[in-house]
Every structure is written in structure tokens, then in C-alpha cells.
Amino acid sequence: MVRALEKYIRPGVKSTPFCPGCGHGILMGLILRAIDDLKMDMKKMLFVSGIGCAAWIPSPHYNGDTLHTLHGRALAFATGAKLYNPDLCVMVVSGDGDLSSIGGNHLIHAARRDIDLKVICANNMIYGMTGGQAASTTPRGSKTSTTGEGNPYRPFDLCKLVEGAGATYVSRFSVTQPISLIQSIKKALLHKGFSFIEALSPCPTQFGRRNLLERPEDMIKDLIRRCILEEEAEGLTEEERAEKIITGEFLS
Amino acid sequence: MTGIKQVRLSGFGGQGVVLAGLLLGQAGVFDGKYISGSNSYGAQARGSGCKSEIVFSDGPVDFPHLTTADILIAMSQGAYNSYCGDVREESGLILYDQGLVTPKENLRVRHLGIPATDVSVKRLKNKQAANIVFLGVLIEATRIVSPGAIRKAISTHVSERFRSLNLKALRTGMELGRKAHG
Amino acid sequence: MASRWVKSPFPKGTYYFSGNEAAAEGAIAAGCRFYAGYPITPSSELMERMAVRLNEIGGVFIQMEDEIASISAVIGASWAGARAMTATSGPGFSLMQESIGYAAFTETPCVIIDVQRAGPCTGQATKVGSGDIMQAKWGSHGDYQVIALSPWSSQEMYDLTLRAFNLSEQYRVPAMVMADEAIGHLRETIRVAAKVEVWDRKKKKGGAPFDIEGEDGVPPMPSFGEGERLSVTGSTHDAYGFRKTDDPKAHARLVERINKKILNHKRSIIETEDYLLEDAEMAVVAYGFTARTSLYAVKRMRKDGTKVGMLRLKTLWPFPDEAVAEIGKKVKKIIVPEMNLGQVAGEVKKYVPCDVISLSQTNGEVIQPDTIMEMLRKI
Ligand SMILES: Cc1ncc(C[n+]2csc(CCOP(=O)(O)OP(=O)(O)O)c2C)c(N)n1
Ligand code: SF4
Ligand SMILES: [Mg+2]
């Protein structure tokens, strides 16, 4: 981690726990940059996460209050803490499996209530921690350890899901779009209400290896190639669009 | 067990049996008694048979549910049929709605027929007040709680909108009680 | 860490409350200012009263999307500094179990009231049962302790809810009030004192929030936002909350401590009551509503000359092993009437040499005095 951000890291933390090339490590830094840009008071920040590799992004690394909860339940814990102490700036950072599969019901209800929570969903389209099983975000046709023939089901469009449920700030960016992602995190931090950022984050170990993206850099390149802005998508044919990932701010 | 009096109010759902029980128990508390009350609950309270049971005592009660009724108020034939056999013989008392219940003849329990629903409809213009008419009769006939306590209970638990109706029903009941009892 | 006496938020006096309402008032008196719950019969009146009361006095009430969310929000609020609670019944209690384990392992004070109904499964939703006694202790995975109390009156729904909060704060442990439908809906005379004793959780700036501080084995507990930069995790952790997921010593140490901190204090946690036991040859061991029935039956039998007494378990967990063992030495036979298939009877058997007879009833109704008297006459 770059020197300037060291003050945001809990003393005693020596290294990140992620695999080489894991997007979660990049995201970990980007969130801190946004916090640093806004000069947020870490003593008033509470980071809540569930269970999974992504849930380790804040816990115990960030030097604020961190609450590492149960698989799927981060938003429920966060709701209790925020309602009781509204002075806390509560950010939830967790995985796609955590927030949208096992925790999907809490996600839509937290969005519906529009409680001031800043949610960053590190979406690697797979269950990283448990060995690469299919998630509710795994693209159709992708190979996982539970879909050897390719995932037969459609994935959630998380941004549409939370927007439909009532979120008041919604965006999707990839860790390969660091400037936009930092910008978006800052907006979420300043937004009053339920903000949701889907941060695309590659999992080379569990997703890449199974899907013809052998090396970590293949995954990064793939994301760079596929992530486009809404405007850019306009000129594309149906086919061309199908393999792209539309990023941007959808609701602000 | 001396000093214990057990009252069962019964009828069908919607007659205000549970409210009457609440008021009676609350009045007992105002009078300084130890009260244990329980009612029908869930589906029972909604439609079919409905009851509310109050145990009055001068000290803490062990078993808080009713074992044998000293007093039964029966606001429907169904309720009467279900519970008339479970009233203490000789010293017991059954108050029943004259217009709705035909009492059995062979029971060794004192019966008082009260035209509660009839009076509610005609004099109070509201058949929902029969429950409170019964409370008035009960108090006049037995003094199980004081009139002051039941009035206080009504102002504690009945919304302002219905308070004067209920107090009037109470007075009406007490008059009926005086006649029937006296 | 200490207790202090505060003015009761509810005026001193005598009231006519249902058990569920009384529990809500007990919680408010204890300083509960956060409630999260999900409706379920027969506990819903408790939640409804909390909604009204917390609104009146400026606490937080939220109806969550399910019971998992409810208990989880309670734990989040507790770390934000609240005395927090939820209430439920069987199906909801089942859903809460994973989070209850989380609260035990992270040493989070919280109160759960289980107004038990006739299970298993959806069972008879409006009917009484006490089939969740073992679940209260063993419902979540792994070895942990909870405190579980058993009220037998509306008054005790107030008193024991208050006590549950105090024990929970004092020992940093989930505390449960194992009520049942009959007690939840029983309306009785209850007395509210002018002042109530409440415990505050221990605080110490810079203190290790997850290791032993002082003799009681209960570490200090700061809240979020106090600048302590807490790290709370349900994974095995060290004194300052760093994950230790591969260290055998760290795991053994933590698991042992969260168990010992309760078991070492069981004498101050456990409460039992003796009735007519001095010369008894038989004893009824009972709890909850059934203890009321049992006492009635025991007094009746005494009138007929039967030498029978009763031990009432006011605390169920930690289990009152010493009190039970004591009775076991004195009497020839023990009967345990309960609205389940012998959950506490099985526990009693562990500690006594004499005969233990389980008097089970699982028909959704309270056990009647006659049933107990008949059994006493038979044996
Ligand atoms: C109740 C429960 N079920 C299952 C698990 C096992 N588990 C741990 S992490 C995880 C998946 C995490 O996936 P995600 O949230 O996408 O995070 P990632 O590891 O991909 O970053 C699962 C299924 C658990 N911890 N708890
Ligand atoms: S398994 Fe995947 S998500 Fe987990 S640390 Fe490794 S690369 Fe990252
Ligand atoms: Mg994932």
C-alpha cells in the first residue's frame, strides 16, 4: 500500500490476504483513496462486511471500526448500528455471493428503506472463498466448480435489482476503471440514502482459471476490453453488446 | 382456597367478551386484588366461541387459570351449553342473555336472565354494548369489583369515542341488576 | 462495571399487564432503546408495545424483513452502544440461531425473548408449548453459553426481562427469556417499583475488548464511534479482534473463556425457589407456567398428607445442577412436568441418583393441576 494511505490501515496489519492478481486488493486501495480525498474521519466510520474474500477488504485492515459479521447478514447488522447511532458513517463492503445470494433479501429491503448505508459489492461473479462455486451473479455459460458444463441460469443485474428496490444512488464500475470508481465511491460517501456500487473485481484463482483466462493479467485485460460506458454501448449491435459490461452511474 | 373468586365471561367473537374481561380484571387491580386473567386467543377470538376468565384473589394465586367458575356470564347459547356444567353448585351464579339463551332446568346453580342485548339495541342504540351491560349487572349483583374501579377501568382502556356509551351501558346494567337481584 | 439505581420510566404503581406487555415494560426499565423484530404469534403484542413505547421515549424500533435480520440488527445496535432486544417464537427462534452464536462468540450483550408455542415446525401457532428449552442452549453450532430465564407470571415477565438485560450487560452474553404462550398472554397484577437497578457494560479506553480484564473474565466493551477503532469478528480472534483462524491455542483459549466466564459465575446467575421441601419424600421440579400448576398441585397434595415439595427453576441455563443435586439427595422420587417430551427431565437425570419421572404433555395446552396430582398419587 502506498505510504500516503498507511494511516488508514490498522496498526498490526502486515499484508493483504488476497491471491496475487485478485481485484479485491485493488478495490481495498481505491476505497481508501476516496476516503482520503474526502478527508473522512475514520473514527466515525464503521465498515461492515459479511463472509467471503471480499468481506476481508475492510476487516480488520481498515483503521476505523470494523464489524465482520455472518455470511449474508452484513446489511442487517449495519442497519442496527446506523439506526442506533446515525452519526456513524456506515459502509458495507462485501461479496456478490454474500450480498446478493444468501443476503439478497436483506439487500432489497435495505434498499427499500433507503437507510443511509454505502454499499460496495465486490462482484467477482463467483464464490471465491469456498472454491469457485456458481453465484447468483455468475454469467450464463460460465464454468464454475458447480457448473462444469457452464452455468445454465441468468445472473442478476445487481444495479437494476437495487434500483428497482429503491436505492437512491447506483453505479457499476470495474477496478480497471480506478478513477471513475474512486469518483463514484466519493459520491456514495456524500450521498444521503442507500447507495450501491457494484465494483467488478476479478478472481483469477477461482473464476479465471476455469474460464480460459489463465493468468491474472488476462482477467484484467478482459475486463478492460469488456467494460464500456452506457454512451459507448449505444452504437453497438445486439451481438456486440452481449459480451460487453455496461458501466456507469445509473442513478444519482 | 378461600378468598378466590373465578369468573368466566363467554359468548361468540365480536360480542366484546375479551374487552369486558379486561375491564373486570383491571377494576380488580384498582381495588387492590391479585388478578390473573386469560382469554381465548387467535382464531377463537375471531369467530366461534370466545371466553375470558378472571381469577380474583386477596393474595398471589398459584394456578392462574380458572378451575371452576363461581360466576358464568353466557352471552350466547353455545357458550352457555359449553360452560354451564362447570359452575360451582349451590353458591355459583349464571348470568345469561335472556334474548339469546334458553337455560337448562336441572342445574343446581342460581340463574339470572338479563335482557342485555335487547336493552343495548333499544336503549343504547348499539348492540355492541351488551358486554358492558352485563358488567353492570354483575357488579350490582355481586360487588366483585367496586363501581368506581370499573368506571376507572373504562376510562383507562376504552377510547374516548366510546367512553360515554360504555359508562351509560354500565349504569343501565347496574339498574337491571338492581331489579333482577333485588 | 457496576450497577446503578435509576428512576423507573413507568410510574411506580400496580398495573394489569399481559406477560408480553410486562416484558416490554421490563425492557424499557432496563434501558432498552433498540428493538428489531418480525411478527410472530404468540409474541407479537410485545413487539407492538415496544413500537409504541420506543416511539414515546425516543428509542429505535424497526420491523425487519425476517428474524435473521432482526437479531443481526440487534447485535449491530448493541455494538453501536444500545441495550437491544428482539422477541419471537419457535420458527423465528430457529432462524436466529446462527446470529445467537455470533453474539455469544463476539460477546455481544443482547436479549431475546422466546414466547414459546407448540412446535415443532409451524405446529400450533396460538397454542402453548415449551419445546425450545434445549434449543436455547444448543441451537447454534459449537460450544458456547447463554443465560436463559424462565418466568412464571406477568410480574416475572417484567422482572426477568429486566434481569436478562442486566446479566447480558454484566457478562456480555446473549440472555434469553424463555416465556411461553400461557405466560405471554396471562394478564396479572404487576407492581412497578419507583427505582430499578440497571447494569452498565464495562468500559475502558484502550482495553482489549476480547480478552480477560480482571477476575470476572468479562472484557470491557467499547462502542462503535468512540474512537476505539474496534475490530469485531465472528471468526476466532485475539484480544484485539484480529482473526486467528489457524492458531489452535487462540481458538481453545477463546472458546474456553466464553464458556468459563458464565460457568464460573453460575452461582450468581442461577436462581431457584424451594417450596415445602424440608421433609419432602417426593419433589416436583418445574419451571415456567407449569411451576404454577405444580405448586397448586403440591399444596393440594400436602393437605392430603402427601410429603411432596417443589423446586422451581427460575434459571434454565446455566442449568441449576447444584440445586437439583441437593434435592436429589433428599427425596426418593422426582417428577418433572413439562410441555415437551422431557427436555428438562433429561437434564435433571444427569445430577440425581433417585428416580426421575418425566410428565410430558405436548397437546398445545397447559398441564392441569389434576394431571400432576394424579401422577403424584400414582407413584
Ligand atoms: C451460512 C453460511 N453458508 C455458507 C458459508 C460458506 N461461505 C463462506 S464465503 C462464501 C461465499 C462468498 O462469496 P462472495 O460473497 O461472493 O465472496 P468472494 O469470496 O467471492 O469474495 C460461502 C458460501 C458460510 N460461511 N456461512
Ligand atoms: S479466491 Fe478469488 S476472490 Fe478470493 S482472494 Fe483469491 S482471487 Fe481473490
Ligand atoms: Mg464473489
Side-chain angles (χ1 to χ4, degrees):
Chain A
M1 189 117 326
V2 207
R3 284 237 159 260
L5 296 179
E6 230 167 42
K7 63 176 177 210
Y8 298 104
I9 298 293
R10 188 182 295 280
V13 167
K14 296 186 187 77
S15 57
T16 70
F18 308 117
C19 307
C22 174
H24 293 352
I26 306 172
L27 181 58
M28 187 173 171
L30 299 181
I31 295 171
L32 292 184
R33 274 173 206 281
I35 286 174
D36 186 49
D37 280 357
L38 293 178
K39 301 278 165 274
M40 302 290 295
D41 179 2
M42 286 295 266
K43 285 188 179 165
K44 290 287 166 213
M45 289 211 65
L46 166 63
F47 299 92
V48 186
S49 56
I51 295 290
C53 296
W56 284 358
I57 292 173
S59 165
H61 309 101
Y62 288 178
N63 199 18
D65 288 320
T66 61
L67 178 63
H68 180 231
T69 66
L70 289 168
H71 193 29
R73 316 301 165 202
L75 279 165
F77 281 77
T79 299
K82 177 68 188 179
L83 286 179
Y84 188 71
N85 183 355
D87 294 341
L88 295 169
C89 173
V90 182
M91 179 182 268
V92 174
V93 186
S94 222
D96 50 316
D98 188 81
L99 285 165
S100 78
S101 297
I102 188 167
N105 198 36
H106 306 311
L107 179 65
I108 56 173
H109 284 277
R112 169 179 66 83
R113 292 187 191 105
D114 197 21
I115 291 173
D116 189 3
L117 299 172
K118 291 95 178 52
V119 183
I120 299 181
C121 176
N123 185 4
N124 53 14
M125 306 176 183
I126 199 138
Y127 288 174
M129 179 166 270
T130 41
Q133 298 84 0
S136 51
T137 42
T138 302
R140 196 176 234 172
S142 294
K143 296 205 167 135
T144 72
S145 63
T146 48
T147 58
E149 305 293 310
N151 178 25
Y153 306 114
R154 289 171 301 174
F156 269 140
D157 181 328
L158 293 180
C159 290
K160 283 193 181 143
L161 177 71
V162 294
E163 192 178 328
T168 45
Y169 177 86
V170 181
S171 78
R172 175 189 297 126
F173 290 105
S174 159
V175 296
T176 57
Q177 302 164 307
I179 308 293
S180 311
L181 187 46
I182 292 172
Q183 228 23 59
S184 183
I185 296 170
K186 281 159 70 175
K187 279 211 181 169
L189 280 168
L190 296 173
H191 178 79
K192 289 267 163 282
F194 188 86
S195 2
F196 182 87
I197 299 174
E198 179 183 343
L200 299 168
S201 172
C203 169
T205 310
Q206 300 297 358
F207 191 92
R209 280 190 303 127
R210 289 193 175 85
N211 291 283
L212 304 171
L213 300 158
E214 294 299 332
R215 295 166 309 158
E217 56 269 38
D218 295 338
M219 280 212 86
I220 297 280
K221 280 187 201 145
D222 184 62
L223 273 175
I224 292 175
R225 189 178 58 81
R226 287 170 62 206
C227 288
I228 58 170
L229 293 172
E230 258 180 316
E231 306 84 86
E232 296 172 294
E234 267 156 32
L236 301 181
T237 64
E238 198 62 29
E239 237 167 274
E240 286 168 324
R241 202 194 271 229
E243 64 121 36
K244 299 288 184 201
I245 301 171
I246 315 287
T247 59
E249 216 171 45
F250 305 121
L251 189 65
S252 63
Chain B
M1 309 238 158
T2 50
I4 291 192
K5 274 254 175 301
Q6 308 179 59
V7 181
R8 176 181 277 142
L9 298 91
S10 61
F12 46 80
Q15 283 184 311
V17 167
V18 171
L19 174 65
L22 171 69
L23 296 174
L24 192 58
Q26 177 70 72
V29 172
F30 285 144
D31 280 341
K33 291 261 197 299
Y34 281 78
I35 305 295
S36 294
S38 36
N39 333 301
S40 313
Y41 175 62
Q44 300 166 331
R46 280 172 211 145
S48 51
C50 181
K51 62 179 172 168
S52 179
E53 298 168 348
I54 322 287
V55 179
F56 292 79
S57 167
D58 296 328
V61 272
D62 295 335
F63 185 64
H65 285 179
L66 182 142
T67 48
T68 305
D70 295 294
I71 299 165
L72 170 70
I73 294 181
M75 295 177 68
S76 73
Q77 188 71 50
Y80 179 87
N81 294 348
S82 300
Y83 305 119
C84 67
D86 193 21
V87 181
R88 204 176 297 283
E89 290 199 340
E90 312 294 350
S91 66
L93 170 66
I94 296 179
L95 304 180
Y96 64 93
D97 195 306
Q98 244 170 19
L100 302 174
V101 177
T102 315
K104 293 185 183 168
E105 277 169 13
N106 51 354
L107 291 173
R108 287 163 57 210
V109 176
R110 189 157 76 103
H111 278 65
L112 278 184
I114 310 294
T117 304
D118 194 46
V119 162
S120 308
V121 173
K122 293 201 180 115
R123 298 230 314 252
L124 304 165
K125 311 276 175 260
N126 191 331
K127 76 170 192 258
Q128 294 302 84
N131 57 343
I132 309 298
V133 171
F134 264 115
L135 284 186
V137 175
L138 174 73
I139 287 162
E140 197 53 45
T142 66
R143 291 287 149 167
I144 187 146
V145 296
S146 66
I150 197 82
R151 277 195 291 269
K152 197 169 154 199
I154 289 173
S155 20
T156 309
H157 291 285
V158 176
S159 73
E160 222 170 307
R161 217 149 56 90
F162 298 108
R163 214 169 283 163
S164 64
L165 169 69
N166 277 281
L167 289 169
K168 200 166 154 205
L170 185 74
R171 277 197 302 276
T172 310
M174 290 178 74
E175 271 165 41
L176 284 179
R178 257 191 302 274
K179 276 187 217 143
H181 192 54
Chain C
M1 177 176 64
S3 72
R4 64 198 155 91
W5 287 85
V6 299
K7 192 165 167 271
S8 160
F10 215 65
K12 171 180 182 243
T14 306
Y15 298 92
Y16 188 46
F17 281 152
S18 72
N20 282 340
E21 292 166 347
E25 287 309 326
I28 300 286
C32 172
R33 294 297 178 270
F34 185 94
Y35 184 101
Y38 189 81
I40 185 166
T41 299
S43 73
S44 298
E45 303 87 13
L46 204 167
M47 171 174 180
E48 285 159 13
R49 189 169 184 98
M50 286 305 276
V52 172
R53 294 289 282 135
L54 286 172
N55 184 42
E56 278 169 11
I57 61 176
V60 178
F61 172 89
I62 185 162
Q63 182 170 328
M64 295 299 287
E65 53 273 21
D66 58 34
E67 288 86 349
I68 303 177
S70 303
I71 178 71
S72 300
V74 161
I75 297 169
S78 182
W79 277 101
R83 285 195 181 81
M85 78 175 280
T86 185
T88 189
S89 188
F93 196 50
S94 293
L95 284 184
M96 288 182 186
Q97 292 303 327
E98 191 193 13
S99 289
I100 289 172
Y102 184 92
F105 203 45
T106 53
E107 304 178 71
T108 310
C110 56
V111 170
I112 301 123
I113 299 187
D114 179 7
V115 187
Q116 296 168 87
R117 63 194 223 183
C121 198
T122 307
Q124 291 188 319
T126 59
K127 300 292 186 178
V128 70
S130 54
D132 309 354
I133 305 302
M134 279 294 159
Q135 186 183 20
K137 172 66 187 75
W138 302 105
S140 203
H141 50 286
D143 287 294
Y144 64 99
Q145 297 291 324
V146 297
I147 292 173
L149 312 177
S150 175
W152 76 342
S153 60
S154 299
Q155 178 72 50
E156 280 195 352
M157 284 294 268
Y158 178 90
D159 295 342
L160 295 191
T161 300
L162 179 64
R163 182 158 197 260
F165 270 97
N166 285 345
L167 291 169
S168 173
E169 295 289 326
Q170 186 180 354
Y171 294 107
R172 281 185 63 182
V173 69
M176 299 167 183
V177 178
M178 300 303 290
D180 58 48
E181 184 277 331
I183 292 295
H185 287 146
L186 184 64
R187 230 170 235 288
E188 287 187 299
T189 305
I190 86 148
R191 283 162 217 283
V192 174
K195 288 196 157 188
V196 291
E197 186 183 19
V198 297
W199 278 81
D200 294 317
R201 51 186 83 156
K202 201 188 318 185
K203 298 254 171 196
K204 188 178 169 208
K205 273 229 157 295
F210 303 103
D211 212 338
I212 313 163
E213 278 274 333
E215 283 163 18
D216 62 0
V218 185
M221 181 175 170
S223 304
F224 294 146
E226 289 178 351
E228 290 285 294
R229 301 172 194 268
L230 285 165
S231 167
V232 182
T233 176
S235 300
T236 298
H237 44 273
D238 68 10
Y240 284 91
F242 279 95
R243 267 189 301 280
K244 292 284 170 210
T245 50
D246 291 317
D247 180 342
K249 275 199 198 129
H251 190 66
R253 182 181 161 89
L254 182 55
V255 173
E256 276 165 29
R257 187 174 59 75
I258 63 158
N259 282 276
K260 272 195 200 146
K261 78 172 177 187
I262 301 304
L263 296 178
N264 286 349
H265 293 98
K266 68 181 180 195
R267 288 205 176 140
S268 21
I269 296 167
I270 291 169
E271 290 182 335
T272 58
E273 287 170 357
D274 287 6
Y275 294 90
L276 307 168
L277 278 168
E278 303 78 37
D279 60 340
E281 290 164 4
M282 282 193 290
V284 178
V285 174
Y287 58 93
F289 186 94
T290 308
R292 298 279 287 271
T293 321
S294 302
L295 184 57
Y296 179 94
V298 162
K299 284 185 180 170
R300 283 286 172 103
M301 296 295 289
R302 275 276 170 184
K303 277 197 185 143
D304 301 344
T306 313
K307 288 191 171 167
V308 57
M310 179 177 92
L311 173 70
R312 179 188 165 220
L313 311 181
K314 220 169 147 178
T315 309
L316 291 170
W317 304 109
F319 191 74
D321 50 358
E322 290 175 8
V324 167
E326 202 53 40
I327 300 306
K329 279 185 222 153
K330 283 201 236 166
V331 302
K332 297 195 191 76
K333 284 192 159 73
I334 290 178
I335 86 160
V336 186
E338 49 188 334
M339 295 180 277
N340 58 47
L341 291 181
Q343 297 192 11
V344 167
E347 207 60 22
V348 169
K349 279 180 193 157
K350 289 189 192 170
Y351 303 104
V352 299
C354 65
D355 273 359
V356 176
I357 298 147
S358 164
L359 174 52
S360 294
Q361 182 176 299
T362 56
N363 61 358
E365 290 177 358
V366 300
I367 301 177
Q368 292 294 321
D370 283 345
T371 311
I372 297 178
M373 289 192 281
E374 230 168 78
M375 175 63 96
L376 285 169
R377 280 191 203 106
K378 218 164 66 189
I379 61 175

